[in-house]
């Protein structure tokens, strides 16, 4: 999704902005641009494609500027092109803007501005903001911005600079994320923390309805009425090195190998947190989980755990569906909003609407200080560290870990298990991290297997019970990074339709640890074999029956049936990774996708 950066200070703005933009590229983008003020004039450079195109365009041009804004764009309104790339400017070239989000009423504003004589150069919704600011500018940039935002509908974050006031950046947040980074004699702006980590760890995350005015020596925050707001400085705990590749070919592979640590750190973080719940469990008669993508799949596994251990009905709903459905919610409903980024618009807005209806909203997030973290009634954190690759891997493992812990915490609070039992189970559960470590030894074998299936046009994934969501996750991972069509199914549903797809060309991944549904899924496997499907199975080591029936067998260490989703998903992530890598695809930044989806 689009990325915003801004810099004002004693150093040359261009290298700072380019470096910061590079740190945001993991979010996905199709064009990039930068605007600076040099010798009182606005200089804008924009390119379609990768940041390196922008760097090449700036090569040899010895611009010196101490203020600038930059952007990576992921097209929503208007195709990827130089005209539509940001920064957008007014025709007088006195104002430049970078923007994330969507201006819903841009069409009517555009018509109004055209009637007033403004000339538009792009198809973007963004351009109306810069024209509005130019229209309202009467010698005070902050006042012009305050007036302009009153006219805008939608969720947005933007930063604006002007040749009339070249000593400041004005930034606005309503819906999309924006943070200010604090330096000495310099200040930064970014839509995501990794962009400014090379420069500072002291940040102020802006809340919705706030405006920041940055000069090189000061940062002032106002509300949309123009009144000052006081904010706390937040110190980012992440180590910059953990956002580098550390010898791995891709961030995705590095992050797959960081799963054991993500699991252990999440257990450690959970145990060091205050486990007194800020609500009375006796009043909760229902749990609703809202999430998107991989976080949704984690929520599906969590449902089985919560219903089994805490005996509370738990519905799992896509956040984008929840928002417009009439889901009965009241103060006896507990809502789990799962989002690694904490910025996914669908999840945030669904959580806010549940909160309005009286539910208690628990955020399950990886990014401390993110919007969902601040908007939820309270947050339980996954401790996976920064995830750079677009495809979620270690954050999924961390979410599963936390959801299991929540399920037994709720059970304990309901007196279904004793305190001693609660801590004993956690001690046992800690061993999962070393089982994941062991499973990672399959890496090379899976790379070989991937080479045999990489030209498939479609692959099915089947699982049952706790591993039905694993099948969904395996299919999602494969399709998003390899562009091979994949479907995840509960294996028992196969005979109700998908079985028609099976022939000698169809690889079918079957997840079959020896659990309560093992015999059932073996019958499903037979159904695949009798239609000549090619079975790749994931099962416990020593499972001769499964091995003998499969074209390829991936053996995972024996694990308590309840915890298998943390292990079975590991080979599936490696499978997707190696297929995409062997096909020569951009594994960390797959086409059309963004790491943080801040539009609805
Ligand atoms: C899949 C993936 C996405 C995200 C989804 C939700 O690999 O990364 O499906 O899981 O966009 O993102 P968060 O968890 O940040 O809300």
């Amino acid at each position: 999704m689009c990325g915003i950066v801004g810099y004002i200070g004693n150093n040359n703005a261009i290298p700072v902005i380019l470096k910061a933009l590079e740190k945001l590229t993991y979010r996905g983008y199709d064009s990039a641009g930068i605007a600076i003020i040099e010798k009182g004039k606005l200089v804008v450079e924009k390119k379609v494609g990768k940041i390196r195109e922008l760097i090449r365009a700036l090569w040899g041009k010895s611009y010196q500027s101490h203020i600038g804004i930059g952007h990576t764009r992921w097209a929503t309104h208007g195709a990827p092109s130089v005209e539509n790339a940001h920064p957008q400017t007014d025709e007088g070239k006195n104002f430049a803007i970078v923007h994330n989000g969507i201006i819903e009423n841009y069409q009517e504003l555009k018509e109004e501005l055209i009637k007033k004589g403004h000339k538009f150069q792009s198809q973007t919704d963004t351009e109306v903001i810069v024209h509005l600011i130019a229209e309202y500018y009467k010698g005070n940039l902050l006042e012009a911005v305050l007036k302009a935002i009153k006219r805008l509908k939608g969720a947005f974050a933007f930063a604006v600079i002007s040749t009339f006031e070249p000593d400041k950046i004005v930034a606005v947040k309503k819906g999309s994320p924006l943070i200010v980074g604090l330096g000495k004699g310099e200040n930064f702006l970014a839509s995501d923390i990794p962009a400014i980590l090379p420069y500072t760890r002291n940040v102020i995350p802006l809340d919705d309805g706030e405006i920041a005015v940055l000069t090189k020596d000061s940062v002032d925050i106002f509300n949309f009425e123009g009144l000052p707001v006081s904010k706390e400085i937040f110190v980012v705990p992440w180590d910059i090195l953990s956002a580098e590749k550390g010898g791995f070919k891709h961030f995705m592979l590095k992050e797959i190998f960081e799963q054991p640590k993500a699991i252990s750190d999440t257990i450690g973080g959970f145990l060091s947190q205050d486990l007194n719940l800020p609500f009375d469990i006796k009043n909760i008669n229902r749990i609703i989980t809202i999430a998107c993508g991989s976080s949704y799949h984690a929520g599906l596994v969590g449902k089985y755990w919560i219903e089994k251990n805490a005996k509370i009905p738990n519905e799992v709903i896509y956040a984008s569906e929840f928002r417009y459905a009439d889901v009965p919610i009241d103060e006896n409903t507990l809502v789990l909003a799962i989002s690694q980024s904490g910025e996914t618009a669908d999840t945030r807005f669904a959580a806010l609407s549940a909160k309005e209806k009286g539910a208690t909203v628990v955020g399950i997030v990886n990014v401390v200080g993110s919007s969902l973290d601040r908007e939820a009634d309270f947050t339980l954190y996954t401790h996976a560290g920064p995830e750079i690759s677009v495809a979620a891997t270690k954050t999924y493992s961390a979410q599963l870990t936390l959801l299991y812990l929540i399920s037994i915490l709720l059970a304990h609070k309901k007196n279904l298990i004793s305190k001693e039992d609660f801590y004993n189970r956690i001690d046992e559960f800690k061993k999962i991290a070393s089982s994941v470590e062991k499973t990672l030894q399959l890496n090379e074998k899976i790379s070989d297997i991937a080479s045999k299936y990489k030209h498939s046009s479609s692959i099915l994934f089947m699982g049952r019970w706790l591993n039905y969501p694993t099948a969904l996750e395996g299919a999602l991972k494969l399709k998003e990074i390899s562009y091979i069509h994949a479907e995840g199914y509960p294996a028992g549903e196969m005979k109700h339709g998908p079985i028609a797809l099976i022939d000698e060309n169809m690889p079918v991944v079957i997840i079959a640890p020896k659990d309560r549904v093992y015999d059932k899924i073996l019958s499903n496997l037979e159904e695949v074999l009798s239609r000549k499907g090619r079975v790749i199975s994931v099962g416990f080591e020593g499972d001769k029956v499964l091995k003998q029936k499969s074209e390829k067998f991936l053996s995972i260490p024996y694990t308590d049936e309840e915890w298998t989703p943390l292990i079975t998903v590991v080979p599936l992530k490696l499978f997707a990774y190696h297929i995409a890598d062997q096909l020569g695809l951009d594994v960390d930044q797959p086409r059309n996708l963004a790491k943080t989806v801040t539009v609805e």
Side-chain angles (χ1 to χ4, degrees), residues 292-295 338-341 344 390-392 399 476-477 480 597:
C292 305
S294 294
S295 298
I338 310 176
S339 171
Q340 80 78 21
S341 63
T344 301
V390 163
Q399 287 168 344
L476 176 65
K477 221 82 312 178
E480 69 180 327
V597 185

Side-chain angles (χ1 to χ4, degrees), residues 288-597:
I288 292 184
T289 302
I290 46 177
C292 305
S294 294
S295 298
Y296 170 82
H297 298 155
L300 287 176
V301 179
K303 167 194 161 73
Y304 290 113
W305 282 330
I306 287 169
E307 292 185 341
K308 175 175 179 289
N309 294 325
K311 315 260 179 269
I312 306 173
N314 181 183
E315 209 177 329
V316 189
I317 309 179
Y318 282 118
S320 53
E321 287 298 312
F322 175 89
R323 223 184 142 189
Y324 300 101
D326 300 305
V327 183
I329 294 257
D330 58 26
E331 56 283 359
N332 300 323
T333 313
L334 183 68
V335 168
L336 300 180
I338 310 176
S339 171
Q340 80 78 21
S341 63
E343 299 296 350
T344 301
D346 287 323
T347 310
R348 281 185 54 213
F349 296 136
L352 287 172
S353 80
K355 209 170 153 182
E356 261 167 37
K357 289 180 187 160
T360 302
V361 175
V362 181
I364 295 183
V365 308
N366 195 48
V367 180
V368 180
S370 59
S371 301
L372 182 60
D373 180 14
R374 285 172 285 133
E375 288 158 359
D377 288 305
F378 77 104
T379 305
L380 291 167
Y381 298 103
T382 51
H383 293 267
E387 188 174 70
I388 305 299
S389 178
V390 163
T393 54
K394 61 175 178 170
T395 54
Y396 180 76
S397 308
Q399 287 168 344
L400 291 187
T401 304
L402 190 53
L403 285 162
Y404 175 72
L405 295 170
I406 291 171
S407 77
I408 57 171
L409 178 65
L410 295 176
H412 169 48
K413 297 287 174 193
K414 282 183 72 183
N415 293 324
L416 297 171
I417 60 170
S418 67
K419 191 170 183 177
E420 198 191 356
D421 196 8
F422 170 68
Y423 284 107
N424 284 343
R425 284 206 205 186
I426 295 180
D427 275 346
E428 269 305 297
F429 183 57
K430 281 180 184 162
K431 295 180 187 152
I432 281 293
S434 51
S435 300
V436 171
E437 191 90 60
K438 193 165 176 214
T439 310
L440 289 167
Q441 291 169 8
L442 286 171
N443 187 34
E444 268 181 38
K445 179 174 181 186
I446 294 176
S447 172
D448 284 349
I449 293 179
S451 66
K452 301 204 167 48
Y453 296 92
K454 67 181 179 209
H455 295 302
S456 308
S457 55
S458 184
I459 300 185
L460 291 181
F461 289 74
M462 306 275 184
R464 293 186 83 128
W465 184 50
L466 278 168
N467 282 299
Y468 153 52
T470 312
L472 296 178
E473 180 61 7
L476 176 65
K477 221 82 312 178
L478 183 71
K479 71 182 117 184
E480 69 180 327
I481 61 168
S482 75
Y483 319 145
I484 293 174
H485 171 256
E487 292 268 5
Y489 252 94
E493 272 293 298
M494 200 176 62
K495 55 191 172 298
H496 300 289
I499 201 163
L501 295 169
I502 294 173
D503 62 15
E504 64 280 11
N505 298 317
M506 178 66 87
V508 184
V509 178
I510 296 196
I511 305 146
K514 277 196 177 162
D515 58 10
R516 65 177 73 171
V517 289
Y518 176 72
D519 291 339
K520 299 283 166 202
I521 203 159
L522 274 196
S523 311
N524 300 133
L525 189 152
E526 294 292 352
E527 289 159 6
V528 173
L529 287 181
S530 50
R531 274 127 196 119
K532 299 196 173 61
R534 304 169 60 191
V535 171
I536 307 162
S537 64
V538 177
F540 285 154
E541 54 200 359
D543 187 340
K544 292 198 184 95
V545 177
L546 189 60
K547 185 172 182 185
Q548 184 257 318
K549 289 179 188 296
S550 310
E551 190 171 290
K552 298 287 170 201
F553 173 62
L554 293 166
S555 81
I556 55 168
Y558 174 78
T559 315
D560 186 299
E561 67 165 11
E562 203 174 9
W563 301 329
T564 57
L566 282 139
I567 313 291
T568 49
V569 78
V570 175
L572 306 190
K573 290 174 192 173
L574 286 168
F575 184 61
Y577 169 77
H578 285 295
I579 289 191
D581 181 38
Q582 289 171 23
L583 291 173
L585 298 170
D586 193 348
V587 175
D588 285 333
Q589 287 167 38
R591 70 183 182 202
N592 305 340
L593 289 177
K595 182 70 182 163
T596 314
V597 185

